[in-house]
Coordinates of all heavy atoms in Angstrom, one line a residue:
H1 N 0.8 -1.2 0.0 CA 0.0 0.0 0.0 C 0.9 1.3 0.0 O 2.0 1.2 0.5 CB -0.9 0.0 1.2 CG -1.9 -1.1 1.2 ND1 -1.7 -2.3 1.9 CD2 -3.1 -1.2 0.6 CE1 -2.8 -3.1 1.7 NE2 -3.6 -2.4 0.9
L2 N 0.3 2.3 -0.5 CA 1.0 3.6 -0.5 C 0.2 4.7 0.0 O -1.0 4.6 0.1 CB 1.5 3.9 -1.9 CG 0.5 4.1 -3.0 CD1 0.2 5.6 -3.1 CD2 1.1 3.7 -4.4
Q3 N 0.9 5.7 0.4 CA 0.3 6.9 1.0 C 0.9 8.1 0.4 O 2.1 8.1 -0.1 CB 0.4 7.0 2.5 CG -0.2 5.9 3.2 CD 0.0 6.0 4.8 OE1 0.6 7.0 5.2 NE2 -0.4 5.0 5.5
F4 N 0.3 9.3 0.4 CA 0.9 10.5 0.1 C 0.9 11.4 1.3 O -0.1 11.5 2.0 CB 0.1 11.2 -1.1 CG 0.4 10.6 -2.4 CD1 -0.4 9.6 -2.9 CD2 1.4 11.1 -3.2 CE1 -0.2 9.0 -4.1 CE2 1.7 10.5 -4.4 CZ 0.9 9.5 -4.9
V5 N 2.0 12.0 1.5 CA 2.2 13.0 2.7 C 2.6 14.3 2.1 O 3.4 14.4 1.2 CB 3.2 12.5 3.7 CG1 2.7 11.2 4.4 CG2 4.6 12.2 3.1
V6 N 2.0 15.4 2.7 CA 2.4 16.7 2.3 C 3.8 17.0 2.9 O 4.0 16.8 4.1 CB 1.4 17.8 2.9 CG1 1.8 19.2 2.6 CG2 0.0 17.5 2.2
V7 N 4.7 17.5 2.1 CA 6.1 17.8 2.5 C 6.4 19.3 2.4 O 7.4 19.7 3.0 CB 7.1 17.0 1.7 CG1 6.9 15.5 2.0 CG2 7.0 17.2 0.2
E8 N 5.5 20.0 1.7 CA 5.7 21.4 1.6 C 4.4 22.1 1.2 O 3.7 21.6 0.4 CB 6.8 21.7 0.5 CG 7.2 23.2 0.4 CD 8.3 23.4 -0.6 OE1 8.7 22.5 -1.3 OE2 8.7 24.6 -0.7
A9 N 4.2 23.3 1.8 CA 3.1 24.1 1.4 C 3.4 25.6 1.5 O 4.0 26.0 2.5 CB 1.9 23.8 2.3
N10 N 3.2 26.3 0.4 CA 3.5 27.7 0.4 C 2.3 28.5 -0.1 O 1.7 28.1 -1.2 CB 4.7 28.1 -0.6 CG 6.0 27.4 -0.1 OD1 6.5 27.7 0.9 ND2 6.4 26.5 -0.9
I11 N 1.8 29.4 0.6 CA 0.6 30.1 0.3 C 0.8 31.6 0.3 O 1.4 32.2 1.3 CB -0.6 29.8 1.3 CG1 -0.8 28.3 1.3 CG2 -1.8 30.6 0.9 CD1 -1.8 27.8 2.3
G12 N 0.4 32.3 -0.7 CA 0.5 33.8 -0.8 C -0.9 34.4 -0.9 O -1.7 34.0 -1.8
Y13 N -1.2 35.2 0.1 CA -2.5 35.9 0.1 C -2.3 37.3 -0.5 O -1.5 38.1 0.0 CB -3.0 36.0 1.6 CG -3.3 34.7 2.2 CD1 -2.4 34.1 3.0 CD2 -4.5 34.0 1.9 CE1 -2.7 32.8 3.6 CE2 -4.8 32.7 2.4 CZ -3.9 32.2 3.3 OH -4.1 30.9 3.8
H14 N -3.0 37.5 -1.6 CA -2.8 38.8 -2.3 C -3.9 39.8 -2.1 O -3.6 41.0 -2.0 CB -2.6 38.5 -3.8 CG -1.6 37.4 -4.1 ND1 -0.2 37.7 -4.0 CD2 -1.7 36.1 -4.4 CE1 0.5 36.6 -4.3 NE2 -0.4 35.6 -4.5
R15 N -5.1 39.3 -2.1 CA -6.3 40.2 -1.9 C -7.3 39.4 -1.1 O -7.4 38.2 -1.2 CB -6.9 40.7 -3.2 CG -5.9 41.5 -4.0 CD -6.6 41.9 -5.4 NE -5.6 42.5 -6.2 CZ -5.8 43.5 -7.0 NH1 -7.0 44.1 -7.0 NH2 -4.8 44.0 -7.7
A16 N -8.2 40.2 -0.5 CA -9.3 39.5 0.2 C -10.5 39.2 -0.7 O -10.8 40.0 -1.6 CB -9.8 40.4 1.3
A17 N -11.1 38.1 -0.4 CA -12.4 37.8 -1.1 C -13.5 38.5 -0.3 O -13.3 38.7 0.9 CB -12.6 36.3 -1.1
R18 N -14.6 38.7 -1.0 CA -15.7 39.4 -0.3 C -16.9 38.5 -0.3 O -17.0 37.6 -1.2 CB -16.0 40.7 -1.0 CG -14.9 41.7 -1.0 CD -15.3 43.0 -1.6 NE -14.2 43.9 -1.7 CZ -13.4 44.1 -2.7 NH1 -13.5 43.3 -3.8 NH2 -12.4 44.9 -2.6
F19 N -17.8 38.7 0.7 CA -19.0 37.9 0.7 C -19.7 37.9 -0.6 O -19.8 39.0 -1.2 CB -19.9 38.4 1.9 CG -21.0 37.5 2.2 CD1 -20.9 36.3 2.8 CD2 -22.3 37.9 1.8 CE1 -22.0 35.5 3.0 CE2 -23.4 37.1 2.0 CZ -23.2 35.9 2.6
D20 N -20.2 36.8 -1.1 CA -20.9 36.7 -2.3 C -20.0 36.8 -3.6 O -20.5 36.8 -4.7 CB -22.1 37.7 -2.5 CG -23.3 37.2 -1.7 OD1 -23.4 36.0 -1.4 OD2 -24.1 38.1 -1.4
D21 N -18.7 36.9 -3.4 CA -17.8 36.8 -4.6 C -17.9 35.5 -5.3 O -18.0 34.5 -4.6 CB -16.3 37.0 -4.2 CG -15.9 38.5 -4.1 OD1 -16.7 39.4 -4.4 OD2 -14.8 38.7 -3.6
E22 N -17.9 35.5 -6.6 CA -17.8 34.2 -7.3 C -16.3 34.0 -7.4 O -15.5 34.8 -7.9 CB -18.4 34.3 -8.7 CG -18.3 33.0 -9.5 CD -19.0 33.1 -10.8 OE1 -19.9 33.9 -11.0 OE2 -18.5 32.4 -11.7
L23 N -15.8 32.8 -7.0 CA -14.4 32.4 -7.0 C -14.1 31.3 -8.0 O -14.9 30.4 -8.2 CB -13.9 32.0 -5.6 CG -14.2 33.0 -4.5 CD1 -13.8 32.4 -3.2 CD2 -13.5 34.3 -4.8
V24 N -13.0 31.4 -8.7 CA -12.5 30.4 -9.6 C -11.2 29.8 -9.0 O -10.3 30.5 -8.7 CB -12.2 30.9 -11.0 CG1 -11.6 29.9 -11.9 CG2 -13.5 31.5 -11.6
V25 N -11.3 28.5 -8.7 CA -10.1 27.8 -8.1 C -9.5 26.9 -9.2 O -10.2 26.1 -9.8 CB -10.6 27.0 -6.9 CG1 -9.4 26.2 -6.3 CG2 -11.3 27.8 -5.8
T26 N -8.2 27.0 -9.4 CA -7.5 26.1 -10.3 C -6.4 25.4 -9.6 O -5.8 25.9 -8.7 CB -7.0 26.9 -11.5 OG1 -6.0 27.9 -11.1 CG2 -8.1 27.6 -12.3
A27 N -6.1 24.2 -10.1 CA -5.0 23.4 -9.6 C -4.4 22.7 -10.8 O -5.1 22.2 -11.7 CB -5.5 22.4 -8.6
A28 N -3.1 22.7 -10.8 CA -2.4 22.0 -12.0 C -1.1 21.4 -11.4 O -0.5 21.9 -10.5 CB -2.0 23.0 -13.0
L29 N -0.7 20.3 -12.1 CA 0.6 19.7 -11.8 C 1.7 20.6 -12.2 O 1.7 21.0 -13.4 CB 0.7 18.3 -12.5 CG 2.0 17.5 -12.2 CD1 2.0 17.0 -10.8 CD2 2.1 16.4 -13.2
D30 N 2.6 20.9 -11.3 CA 3.7 21.8 -11.6 C 4.9 20.9 -12.0 O 5.6 21.2 -13.0 CB 4.0 22.6 -10.4 CG 5.0 23.8 -10.8 OD1 4.8 24.4 -11.8 OD2 5.9 24.0 -9.9
S31 N 5.2 19.8 -11.3 CA 6.3 18.9 -11.6 C 6.1 17.6 -10.9 O 5.4 17.5 -9.9 CB 7.6 19.6 -11.2 OG 7.7 19.7 -9.8
K32 N 6.8 16.6 -11.4 CA 6.9 15.3 -10.7 C 8.3 14.7 -10.9 O 8.9 15.0 -11.9 CB 5.8 14.4 -11.3 CG 6.1 13.9 -12.8 CD 5.0 12.9 -13.2 CE 5.3 12.6 -14.7 NZ 4.5 11.6 -15.2
S33 N 8.7 14.0 -9.9 CA 10.0 13.4 -10.0 C 10.1 12.3 -9.0 O 9.8 12.6 -7.8 CB 11.2 14.4 -9.9 OG 11.2 14.9 -8.6
G34 N 10.6 11.2 -9.4 CA 10.8 10.1 -8.4 C 9.6 9.8 -7.6 O 8.6 9.2 -8.0
A35 N 9.6 10.2 -6.3 CA 8.6 9.9 -5.4 C 7.7 11.1 -5.0 O 6.9 11.1 -4.1 CB 9.2 9.3 -4.1
S36 N 7.9 12.2 -5.8 CA 7.2 13.4 -5.4 C 6.5 14.1 -6.5 O 6.8 13.9 -7.7 CB 8.1 14.4 -4.7 OG 9.1 14.8 -5.6
V37 N 5.4 14.9 -6.1 CA 4.7 15.7 -7.1 C 4.5 17.1 -6.5 O 4.5 17.3 -5.2 CB 3.3 15.1 -7.4 CG1 3.4 13.9 -8.2 CG2 2.5 14.9 -6.2
T38 N 4.5 18.1 -7.3 CA 4.3 19.5 -6.9 C 3.1 20.1 -7.7 O 3.0 19.9 -8.9 CB 5.5 20.4 -7.1 OG1 6.6 19.8 -6.4 CG2 5.3 21.8 -6.6
F39 N 2.2 20.7 -6.9 CA 1.0 21.3 -7.6 C 1.0 22.8 -7.4 O 1.5 23.3 -6.4 CB -0.3 20.8 -6.9 CG -0.5 19.3 -7.2 CD1 -0.1 18.4 -6.2 CD2 -1.1 18.9 -8.3 CE1 -0.3 17.0 -6.5 CE2 -1.4 17.5 -8.5 CZ -0.9 16.6 -7.6
A40 N 0.5 23.5 -8.4 CA 0.3 25.0 -8.3 C -1.2 25.2 -8.3 O -1.9 24.6 -9.0 CB 1.0 25.7 -9.5
Q41 N -1.6 26.1 -7.4 CA -3.0 26.4 -7.2 C -3.2 27.9 -7.2 O -2.4 28.7 -6.7 CB -3.6 25.8 -6.0 CG -3.4 24.3 -5.9 CD -3.6 23.7 -4.6 OE1 -3.4 24.3 -3.6 NE2 -4.1 22.5 -4.6
E42 N -4.4 28.4 -7.7 CA -4.8 29.8 -7.6 C -6.2 29.9 -7.3 O -7.0 29.1 -7.7 CB -4.5 30.5 -9.0 CG -3.1 30.7 -9.4 CD -2.9 31.5 -10.6 OE1 -3.9 31.6 -11.4 OE2 -1.8 32.0 -10.9
I43 N -6.6 31.0 -6.6 CA -7.9 31.4 -6.4 C -8.1 32.8 -7.0 O -7.3 33.7 -6.6 CB -8.4 31.4 -4.9 CG1 -8.2 29.9 -4.4 CG2 -9.8 31.8 -4.8 CD1 -8.4 29.8 -2.9
R44 N -9.0 33.0 -7.9 CA -9.2 34.3 -8.5 C -10.7 34.7 -8.3 O -11.6 33.9 -8.2 CB -8.9 34.2 -10.0 CG -7.4 34.0 -10.2 CD -7.1 34.0 -11.7 NE -5.6 34.0 -11.9 CZ -4.8 35.0 -12.0 NH1 -5.3 36.2 -12.0 NH2 -3.5 34.9 -12.2
R45 N -10.9 36.0 -8.4 CA -12.3 36.5 -8.3 C -12.9 36.5 -9.7 O -12.3 37.0 -10.7 CB -12.2 38.0 -7.8 CG -13.6 38.6 -7.6 CD -13.6 40.0 -7.0 NE -13.1 39.9 -5.6 CZ -12.0 40.6 -5.2 NH1 -11.3 41.3 -6.0 NH2 -11.7 40.5 -3.9
G46 N -14.1 35.9 -9.8 CA -14.9 36.1 -11.0 C -14.6 35.1 -12.1 O -15.4 34.2 -12.4
T47 N -13.5 35.3 -12.8 CA -13.1 34.5 -13.9 C -11.7 34.1 -13.8 O -11.0 34.5 -13.0 CB -13.3 35.3 -15.2 OG1 -12.4 36.4 -15.2 CG2 -14.7 35.9 -15.4
A48 N -11.3 33.2 -14.8 CA -9.9 32.7 -14.8 C -8.9 33.9 -14.9 O -7.8 33.8 -14.5 CB -9.7 31.7 -15.9
G49 N -9.3 35.0 -15.5 CA -8.5 36.2 -15.7 C -8.7 37.2 -14.6 O -8.2 38.3 -14.7
G50 N -9.6 36.9 -13.6 CA -9.9 37.9 -12.6 C -8.8 38.2 -11.6 O -7.7 37.6 -11.7
A51 N -9.0 39.0 -10.7 CA -8.0 39.4 -9.7 C -7.5 38.2 -8.9 O -8.3 37.4 -8.4 CB -8.6 40.5 -8.7
L52 N -6.2 38.1 -8.8 CA -5.6 37.0 -8.1 C -5.7 37.2 -6.6 O -5.3 38.3 -6.1 CB -4.1 36.9 -8.5 CG -3.3 35.8 -7.8 CD1 -3.9 34.4 -8.1 CD2 -1.8 35.8 -8.1
L53 N -6.4 36.3 -5.9 CA -6.6 36.4 -4.5 C -5.6 35.6 -3.7 O -5.0 36.1 -2.7 CB -8.0 36.0 -4.1 CG -9.1 36.7 -4.8 CD1 -10.5 36.1 -4.3 CD2 -9.1 38.2 -4.6
V54 N -5.3 34.4 -4.1 CA -4.4 33.5 -3.4 C -3.6 32.7 -4.5 O -4.2 32.2 -5.5 CB -5.2 32.5 -2.5 CG1 -4.3 31.5 -1.9 CG2 -6.0 33.2 -1.5
S55 N -2.4 32.5 -4.2 CA -1.5 31.6 -5.0 C -0.9 30.6 -4.1 O -0.5 31.0 -3.0 CB -0.5 32.3 -5.9 OG 0.3 33.1 -5.0
A56 N -0.7 29.4 -4.5 CA -0.2 28.4 -3.6 C 0.6 27.3 -4.4 O 0.2 27.0 -5.5 CB -1.3 27.7 -2.8
T57 N 1.6 26.7 -3.8 CA 2.2 25.5 -4.3 C 2.3 24.5 -3.1 O 2.4 24.9 -2.0 CB 3.6 25.8 -4.8 OG1 4.4 26.3 -3.8 CG2 3.6 26.7 -6.0
G58 N 2.2 23.3 -3.5 CA 2.3 22.2 -2.5 C 3.0 21.0 -3.0 O 2.8 20.7 -4.2
G59 N 3.7 20.4 -2.2 CA 4.4 19.2 -2.6 C 4.0 18.0 -1.7 O 3.7 18.1 -0.6
A60 N 3.9 16.9 -2.4 CA 3.5 15.6 -1.7 C 4.5 14.5 -2.1 O 5.0 14.5 -3.2 CB 2.1 15.2 -2.1
A61 N 4.8 13.7 -1.2 CA 5.7 12.5 -1.4 C 4.9 11.2 -1.3 O 4.0 11.1 -0.4 CB 6.9 12.6 -0.4
C62 N 5.3 10.3 -2.1 CA 4.7 9.0 -2.1 C 5.6 8.1 -1.1 O 6.8 8.1 -1.2 CB 4.7 8.4 -3.5 SG 4.0 6.7 -3.6
I63 N 4.9 7.5 -0.2 CA 5.6 6.6 0.8 C 4.9 5.3 0.9 O 3.7 5.1 0.6 CB 5.7 7.3 2.2 CG1 4.3 7.5 2.8 CG2 6.5 8.6 2.1 CD1 4.3 7.9 4.3
T64 N 5.6 4.3 1.4 CA 5.0 3.0 1.6 C 4.3 3.0 3.0 O 4.7 3.7 3.9 CB 6.0 1.8 1.6 OG1 7.0 2.1 2.6 CG2 6.6 1.7 0.3
S65 N 3.1 2.4 3.1 CA 2.3 2.4 4.3 C 3.0 1.7 5.5 O 2.9 2.1 6.6 CB 0.9 1.8 4.1 OG 0.2 2.5 3.1
D66 N 3.7 0.6 5.2 CA 4.3 -0.1 6.3 C 5.6 0.4 6.8 O 5.8 0.4 8.0 CB 4.4 -1.6 5.9 CG 5.2 -1.8 4.6 OD1 5.4 -0.8 3.9 OD2 5.7 -3.0 4.4
T67 N 6.4 1.0 6.0 CA 7.7 1.5 6.4 C 7.8 3.0 6.5 O 8.7 3.6 7.2 CB 8.9 1.1 5.5 OG1 8.7 1.7 4.2 CG2 8.9 -0.4 5.3
L68 N 6.8 3.7 5.9 CA 6.8 5.2 5.9 C 8.0 5.8 5.2 O 8.4 6.9 5.4 CB 6.6 5.8 7.3 CG 5.3 5.3 8.0 CD1 5.2 6.0 9.4 CD2 4.0 5.6 7.2
K69 N 8.6 5.0 4.3 CA 9.8 5.5 3.6 C 9.3 5.8 2.1 O 8.4 5.3 1.6 CB 10.9 4.4 3.5 CG 11.5 4.2 4.9 CD 12.6 3.2 4.8 CE 13.2 3.1 6.2 NZ 14.4 2.3 6.2
P70 N 10.0 6.8 1.5 CA 9.7 7.2 0.2 C 9.8 6.0 -0.8 O 10.6 5.2 -0.6 CB 10.8 8.3 -0.2 CG 11.3 8.8 1.1 CD 11.2 7.6 2.1
R71 N 8.9 6.1 -1.8 CA 8.9 5.1 -2.9 C 8.6 5.8 -4.2 O 7.9 6.8 -4.2 CB 8.0 3.9 -2.6 CG 6.5 4.4 -2.5 CD 5.6 3.3 -2.8 NE 5.7 2.9 -4.2 CZ 5.0 1.9 -4.8 NH1 4.2 1.2 -4.1 NH2 5.2 1.7 -6.0
P72 N 9.1 5.3 -5.3 CA 8.8 5.9 -6.6 C 7.3 5.9 -6.8 O 6.6 4.9 -6.4 CB 9.5 5.1 -7.6 CG 10.6 4.4 -6.8 CD 10.0 4.2 -5.4
L73 N 6.8 6.9 -7.5 CA 5.4 6.8 -7.9 C 5.1 5.6 -8.8 O 5.9 5.3 -9.6 CB 5.0 8.1 -8.8 CG 5.1 9.4 -8.1 CD1 5.1 10.5 -9.1 CD2 4.0 9.6 -7.1
P74 N 4.1 4.9 -8.5 CA 3.7 3.7 -9.4 C 3.6 4.2 -10.9 O 3.1 5.3 -11.1 CB 2.4 3.2 -8.9 CG 2.3 3.7 -7.5 CD 3.1 5.0 -7.5
K75 N 4.1 3.4 -11.8 CA 4.1 3.8 -13.2 C 2.7 4.2 -13.7 O 2.5 5.1 -14.4 CB 4.7 2.7 -14.1 CG 6.2 2.6 -13.8 CD 6.8 1.4 -14.7 CE 8.3 1.3 -14.4 NZ 8.9 0.2 -15.2
A76 N 1.7 3.4 -13.3 CA 0.4 3.6 -13.8 C -0.2 5.0 -13.3 O -0.8 5.7 -14.0 CB -0.6 2.5 -13.3
L77 N 0.2 5.3 -12.0 CA -0.2 6.6 -11.5 C 0.6 7.7 -12.1 O 0.0 8.8 -12.5 CB 0.0 6.6 -10.0 CG -0.4 7.8 -9.2 CD1 -1.9 8.1 -9.4 CD2 -0.1 7.7 -7.7
A78 N 1.9 7.6 -12.2 CA 2.7 8.6 -12.8 C 2.3 9.0 -14.3 O 2.4 10.1 -14.7 CB 4.2 8.2 -12.8
A79 N 1.8 8.0 -15.0 CA 1.4 8.2 -16.4 C 0.1 9.1 -16.4 O -0.2 9.7 -17.5 CB 1.1 6.8 -17.0
Q80 N -0.6 9.2 -15.3 CA -1.8 10.0 -15.3 C -1.5 11.4 -15.1 O -2.4 12.3 -15.3 CB -2.8 9.5 -14.3 CG -3.3 8.1 -14.6 CD -4.3 7.6 -13.5 OE1 -4.9 8.4 -12.8 NE2 -4.5 6.3 -13.4
F81 N -0.3 11.8 -14.7 CA 0.0 13.2 -14.4 C 0.6 13.8 -15.7 O 1.5 13.4 -16.2 CB 1.0 13.3 -13.3 CG 0.5 13.0 -11.9 CD1 0.9 11.9 -11.2 CD2 -0.5 13.8 -11.4 CE1 0.4 11.7 -9.9 CE2 -1.0 13.6 -10.1 CZ -0.6 12.5 -9.4

């Protein structure tokens, strides 16, 4: 069995959201290598081109459930990224 653990999270707050704002949240794979993946995320007001409210990156590592040691991403899973 495998698990993913968060190894890094960076969040930048740029502007405040307001009550009743329509928000657009995007997430995309930024990179992958060996046992880890990094995602980039944004929250914008209104549309994909709207005011940037939050930007974030996060990293996760693949580990084995029994030893809690890093392991390479399974090939079938890595192919989906």
